[in-house]
Amino acid sequence: MGRMRPDDWYLTEDLDEFLSRAGDFLRSRPALHTVPLTVTDALRRRGLHFYSAEAPLFGVLADDTVRATVIHTPPFPLQITRLTALEADALAARLAGLGHPATGISGPRETAGAFAAAWQRHTGAPATLGLRQRLYRLGELTVPEPRPQGRARIAGREDRELLSRWKAEFDTDTGHGVGTDTAAWADARIAEGGATLWEEADGTPVSMVGATPEIAGQVRVAPVYTPADLRGRGYAGAATAEVSRAARETGVAQVLLFTDLANPTSNRLYQRIGYRPVADFEVWRFSGTALRV
């Protein structure tokens, strides 16, 4: 594709239309496209307003084949697949020309940075780097030693309040997802069997690990949370290993997770378990707005 124009980006609020255009493209690289795959799957399962009352926006860049996509589920950042600098500039121009509000951008490192710079050019809104992430894929699983006392179990309806509270605490601690309806999140994870608790021998829950439903042969582990006063005892590592093992035993091709590169402890832990780097991602914040990741 030569010279890029803003209207080369096709935008729609119709999820089915978007998936009919871009579904094969997203499935072609399930690890790198894990976020758009799981977000669109959640919208399909739970409804277009699962994330907020605002309608999502979907975009496709294509000539003979699909080249890239963008998804926006307010109030979260735009989610983009890999773009060239010219493609990122055209998308920023398209959205800015429509007056489309954006609090931030999340995507592959070079792409996110290119879009953030383009957004500043087209809107004048300051852009600041909010988060550096690394995507990992499970290789050979190794259960961390020493294994803490207790066991893992799938969270049920009786754990709804706990899951909601711990998700809120996770969001506050990390700055991710602040403002999310944590009760709705807990309901979805319970219904899908997508939350695992590590509990001590007396049945007291001490750590939580989530996992997305399988789509396109991949499952993503998220979030991983242990209350501050219970950290450093191996609970999160044991629970993550159990969730990873269970996902692999269902036959999924890829088990994935993201880490915050500012947290060397978690990066070392996941590599000890058997996770290997795939790619780096960045999240940028626009206009000083509260970032929800």
Side-chain angles (χ1 to χ4, degrees):
M1 183 177 289
R3 185 169 176 268
M4 290 291 306
R5 300 172 302 168
D7 59 4
D8 287 333
W9 279 92
Y10 177 79
L11 302 178
T12 180
E13 293 184 355
D14 188 319
L15 175 61
D16 290 336
E17 181 186 17
F18 171 74
L19 291 176
S20 71
R21 290 173 177 262
D24 288 344
F25 167 75
L26 294 177
R27 290 171 180 271
S28 70
R29 306 188 77 180
L32 290 178
H33 299 161
T34 177
V35 173
L37 282 167
T38 54
V39 167
T40 53
D41 186 54
L43 294 172
R44 183 179 58 80
R45 291 169 180 263
R46 300 289 168 183
L48 284 178
H49 300 291
F50 175 64
Y51 293 105
S52 80
E54 295 184 62
L57 181 70
F58 310 99
V60 179
L61 178 66
D63 40 30
D64 294 333
T65 61
V66 175
R67 298 168 60 88
T69 67
V70 61
I71 297 173
H72 192 202
T73 52
F76 299 95
L78 298 161
Q79 293 282 348
I80 50 176
T81 59
R82 189 166 287 162
L83 305 174
T84 67
L86 288 176
E87 292 166 348
D89 185 80
L91 176 59
R94 179 88 159 99
L95 295 175
L98 294 172
H100 185 78
T103 58
I105 187 73
S106 176
R109 182 180 60 195
E110 295 84 357
T111 294
F115 183 91
W119 189 255
Q120 285 187 268
R121 287 195 300 272
H122 289 288
T123 67
T128 56
L129 181 60
L131 181 66
R132 295 171 56 243
Q133 296 177 302
R134 181 157 292 160
L135 176 65
Y136 286 88
R137 176 169 45 217
L138 183 62
E140 182 178 351
L141 178 63
T142 301
V143 177
E145 296 291 344
R147 186 176 184 272
Q149 293 288 321
R151 68 183 185 99
R153 68 169 175 84
I154 303 298
R157 294 297 305 171
E158 69 278 9
D159 302 302
R160 180 178 188 265
E161 182 179 347
L162 176 67
L163 293 181
S164 179
R165 184 173 75 251
W166 279 2
K167 178 61 163 62
E169 292 173 5
F170 171 85
D171 292 346
T172 299
D173 284 358
T174 62
H176 304 176
V178 175
T180 297
D181 184 340
T182 59
W185 175 88
D187 288 338
R189 288 302 173 93
I190 290 168
E192 296 157 354
T196 295
L197 296 171
W198 189 270
E199 60 182 21
E200 293 184 318
D202 65 358
T204 302
V206 291
S207 190
M208 171 185 76
V209 177
T212 63
E214 181 275 331
I215 176 133
Q218 60 86 37
V219 166
R220 190 170 74 255
V221 176
V224 178
Y225 178 71
T226 304
D229 61 336
L230 297 172
R231 293 172 190 167
R233 306 182 192 185
Y235 298 138
T240 300
E242 175 61 23
V243 169
S244 303
R245 180 199 61 76
R248 175 158 283 175
E249 286 184 354
T250 67
V252 298
Q254 303 186 78
V255 185
L256 309 166
L257 57 77
F258 280 102
T259 65
D260 181 349
L261 284 173
N263 186 339
T265 300
S266 64
N267 282 269
R268 286 194 298 268
L269 169 63
Y270 297 132
Q271 290 182 75
R272 280 176 53 210
I273 292 173
Y275 281 89
R276 299 294 176 256
V278 175
D280 287 356
F281 287 68
E282 289 181 348
V283 184
W284 288 74
R285 178 173 56 243
F286 301 149
S287 300
T289 52
L291 183 62
R292 301 176 180 181
V293 188

